[in-house]
Amino acid sequence: MDIGIDKIGFYSPNVYVDMEKLAEARDVEPAKYTIGIGQERMAIAPLHQDSVSLAANAALSILDEDDKEKIDFVLFGSESGVDHSKSGAVWVHQLTGINKEARSVELKQACYGATAGIKMAMGHIALNPESKVLVLGTDIAKYGVKTGGEPTQGAGAVAMVLSSNPRLLSLDNDSAALTKDISDFWRPLYSDYAFVDGKFSNQAYLDFLNDVWVNYQEKTGRTLKDFEAMTFHVPYTKMGKKAILAMTENEEESERDRLMEYYQSSIYYNKQVGNIYTGSLYLSLLSLLEQGPELEAGSRIGLFSYGSGAVGEFFSGTLKADYKNYLSKDKHESLLNERRELSISEYEEMLQQSLPKDGADIEIESEDMKEGTVYLTGVKEHIRQYVKK
Ligand code: HMG
């Protein structure tokens, strides 16, 4: 059966930090952030945008009435969940008006959550060919002011509808996956900020990529030449470049150049948004589809998913004919171009804001609330209050 991604959209808050200005404020050579890390702008989530509202906004940008009627599973991949018990998927289900007979659940494994959602969706659709599944990857990446990870923060969500006979990308059932218990990056329940061993996390990412890529080639008999383009989890865009260099170490130079050219299209959005954790791989895929040249039907795309802690997986998909007709390039470019730049002091203040931790009520008020369709207005009697315009 032909199962895959039928629709994809994304959402990111309407405020950002310019990376050159952040570098100047941190007394760092700007080229370190723009070239060494590879980021131009970094999306910041104001208090009224959390993982639920970001995901709801991403979903609302792609869902039509037929989707709302046919979706019978909502899978919310996130490591920025807002409740230990209730899944973000339940709120998104209600805020987007999906039919009440759907199931809703949250999936967590660092940046791997949305990929787990894709795998579950594929199995579910194989058993229920008429079903549509909404898979969300939504996160707010926070390391804190003046930390090593500071230039690799970001915020945003990707929403995808998976179905049989998809219009964008057919997914192959050809994965190679790997799990190992390591401490490269984690966020204890008591902390708003992630803990990270930066250099170790980079190495772990590359080691996982190597292991699953070797395993994938053994399992499928495919080689690099079978792939038109590769997409990666993109914590910062230089990481994907390191991934291509590692994968092409023993290949002809022309192979490396070919993949590197597509890679530039695949990081166009990520450069403007930063790390959105579990949505990052899919933001990169969206970027390739929208910003890259039109690729032939049947072209094979590789996907490498990595979630610290750690789980990695390599899998692939093939493009459908006319996929460009079902994308929203102009809308996504406007979303990013119409954002407001934050001064460094505004950014620092915004990053350090958090909801009360003692159970007190809060009403959030901000000029920036006019953005998006869904936002958080506060917390009342321990219950988050979302509004849909
Ligand atoms: P750092 O120590 O600030 O940076 O940490 P650096 O000194 O390693 O420099 C970074 C790069 O900039 C280097 O290039 C420098 O040479 C270059 P590289 O050797 O890496 O190719 N550089 C310059 N380039 C041009 N002009 C200059 C200049 N100066 C230096 N003037 C680090 C960087 C990424 C480690 C840090 O920001 C960090 O800890 N970030 C968070 C962790 C992270 O993103 N890890 C990625 C892999 S783990 C992962 O992807 C999972 C994750 O998404 C979480 C999840 O799964 O949920 C993070």
Side-chain angles (χ1 to χ4, degrees):
M1 192 192 301
D2 182 8
I3 301 172
I5 302 173
D6 186 58
K7 286 185 174 180
I8 179 166
F10 94 96
Y11 183 77
S12 188
N14 73 336
V15 284
Y16 73 91
V17 174
D18 179 277
M19 294 305 283
E20 291 198 0
K21 292 186 188 151
L22 181 64
E24 280 158 23
R26 298 290 174 261
D27 213 10
V28 166
E29 189 72 19
K32 174 171 176 186
Y33 287 0
T34 56
I35 298 168
I37 298 285
Q39 293 301 129
E40 287 168 8
R41 291 177 172 184
M42 185 165 81
I44 303 298
L47 210 49
H48 63 271
Q49 286 293 346
D50 64 11
S51 58
V52 169
S53 62
L54 292 171
N57 283 317
L60 283 166
S61 76
I62 54 168
L63 297 183
D64 61 21
E65 292 311 312
D66 184 63
D67 298 325
K68 292 178 197 174
E69 198 184 304
K70 294 211 176 109
I71 287 172
D72 63 0
F73 218 156
V74 181
L75 294 164
F76 183 96
S78 183
E79 53 180 298
S80 320
V82 299
D83 195 283
H84 289 314
S85 171
K86 181 171 174 175
S87 81
V90 169
W91 277 294
V92 174
H93 170 273
Q94 186 269 327
L95 288 161
T96 52
I98 290 169
N99 77 82
K100 68 178 173 25
E101 285 168 30
R103 323 153 169 81
S104 302
V105 74
E106 185 163 326
L107 303 167
K108 179 181 72 181
Q109 173 34 52
C111 301
Y112 176 78
T115 302
I118 289 207
K119 294 285 136 189
M120 288 173 73
M122 288 172 71
H124 178 73
I125 295 164
L127 290 171
N128 306 278
E130 298 305 313
S131 293
K132 291 187 176 190
V133 180
L134 176 63
V135 177
L136 303 155
T138 178
D139 274 306
I140 297 170
K142 271 185 170 189
Y143 295 92
V145 168
K146 297 180 186 163
T147 59
E150 185 179 33
T152 62
Q153 302 174 115
V158 173
M160 292 171 277
V161 174
L162 269 78
S163 69
S164 53
N165 303 315
R167 285 170 292 180
L168 300 176
L169 188 77
S170 298
L171 291 168
D172 296 308
N173 187 21
D174 62 355
S175 290
L178 179 70
T179 296
K180 272 187 195 170
D181 179 4
I182 58 170
S183 300
D184 60 329
F185 165 105
W186 66 104
R187 183 164 70 86
L189 293 178
Y190 52 79
S191 179
D192 282 345
Y193 300 112
F195 287 66
V196 64
D197 183 341
K199 301 280 185 256
F200 175 48
S201 73
N202 285 350
Q203 195 50 53
Y205 176 114
L206 293 175
D207 290 346
F208 268 67
L209 171 62
N210 180 63
D211 282 9
V212 294
W213 174 232
V214 167
N215 188 5
Y216 177 89
Q217 290 177 92
E218 279 168 12
K219 276 169 88 169
T220 63
R222 294 198 184 107
T223 69
L224 213 55
K225 288 199 166 49
D226 294 304
F227 289 84
E228 186 65 31
M230 289 287 177
T231 54
F232 303 91
H233 165 54
V234 183
Y236 55 96
T237 69
K238 176 76 163 292
M239 192 73 232
K241 186 176 173 188
K242 287 176 198 264
I244 292 185
L245 292 178
M247 281 181 111
T248 54
E249 208 180 341
N250 302 315
E251 303 281 341
E252 292 155 22
E253 211 177 305
S254 57
E255 284 297 283
R256 192 190 56 213
D257 295 347
R258 178 173 64 86
L259 293 179
M260 213 51 110
E261 207 173 313
Y262 287 126
Y263 184 64
Q264 292 311 322
S265 315
S266 78
I267 55 173
Y268 185 86
Y269 294 146
N270 304 68
K271 266 182 189 254
Q272 305 292 323
V273 171
N275 195 355
I276 58 166
Y277 290 157
T278 187
S280 292
L281 165 62
Y282 302 98
L283 183 61
S284 181
L285 174 67
L286 177 65
S287 192
L288 173 73
L289 301 186
E290 291 191 344
Q291 299 295 333
E294 177 142 16
L295 299 171
E296 272 179 36
S299 298
R300 188 173 298 282
I301 312 291
L303 297 101
F304 172 62
S305 181
Y306 177 76
S308 284
V311 177
E313 183 155 349
F314 187 92
F315 59 110
S316 79
T318 51
L319 286 170
K320 306 297 287 191
D322 303 325
Y323 67 92
K324 286 257 183 198
N325 295 346
Y326 307 108
L327 298 167
S328 303
K329 182 173 183 253
D330 293 348
K331 192 164 79 183
H332 294 142
E333 285 177 356
S334 306
L335 180 77
L336 295 179
N337 293 338
E338 287 164 15
R339 294 177 297 171
R340 179 171 77 80
E341 183 182 342
L342 295 171
S343 68
I344 299 303
S345 58
E346 266 183 298
Y347 144 70
E348 289 178 354
E349 196 185 317
M350 199 174 271
L351 195 82
Q352 290 172 90
Q353 282 174 347
S354 64
L355 296 174
K357 294 204 169 48
D358 59 358
D361 287 356
I362 178 174
E363 267 183 55
I364 305 169
E365 280 179 39
S366 152
E367 260 302 290
D368 294 317
M369 270 180 169
K370 292 188 198 104
E371 59 135 342
T373 308
V374 173
Y375 52 90
L376 181 73
T377 57
V379 181
K380 201 171 165 200
E381 292 172 9
H382 310 283
I383 301 170
R384 284 186 186 235
Q385 309 291 317
Y386 293 100
V387 160
K388 182 179 161 201
K389 277 195 271 190

